[in-house]
Amino acid sequence: MQDLIEEIKQLISAHIDLGGADLSKFGPEGKIFGESGLGLDSLDAVELITLLQRKYGITIQNMHEGRAIFHNLGTLAQYIEENRKK
C-alpha cells in the first residue's frame, strides 16, 4: 500500500497546487484536506476526484462516503486498492 500512497502523492503534486507543501513528510496518516494536512480545498477535491477516476476507475457515490474515503492518504489508498478497475 505504501507504493500506492507514493503514487497518489505524485499525482497530487503533479496536478494540484500545494502552495509549497512538502509531500515527503506525509505518510498514511497525512490529512488531505484542511490546514493540518495538505491544505486542499473543495475545488481541489473536485480536481482530485476527477484525477482518481481517470487513473484508477473509481467512483465516489456521495459526500458522506467521500469524507471517510478522503480522511487521510491511507484511507484513500485503501479505497483505491479495494475499488479500482484493473
Side-chain angles (χ1 to χ4, degrees):
M1 178 141 34
Q2 186 61 36
D3 288 343
L4 181 55
I5 290 172
E6 291 304 316
E7 198 174 288
I8 294 166
K9 287 169 32 175
Q10 288 176 4
L11 186 69
I12 291 170
S13 67
H15 297 281
I16 298 175
D17 179 14
L18 297 174
D22 182 6
L23 278 176
S24 67
K25 297 178 182 178
F26 287 89
E29 298 300 317
K31 303 283 187 215
I32 298 171
F33 296 98
E35 291 185 26
S36 65
L38 294 176
L40 302 186
D41 60 22
S42 59
L43 293 176
D44 296 324
V46 172
E47 186 171 356
L48 180 57
I49 290 168
T50 302
L51 290 167
L52 295 170
Q53 286 174 336
R54 286 184 189 149
K55 182 157 180 77
Y56 301 108
I58 62 168
T59 57
I60 295 162
Q61 301 300 324
N62 60 57
M63 181 102 112
H64 180 71
E65 178 187 43
R67 286 188 179 168
I69 294 166
F70 288 98
H71 179 70
N72 59 41
L73 290 172
T75 57
L76 177 56
Q78 180 178 350
Y79 181 82
I80 292 170
E81 190 67 35
E82 294 171 356
N83 294 282
R84 72 172 147 189
K85 296 188 174 144
K86 307 251 180 196

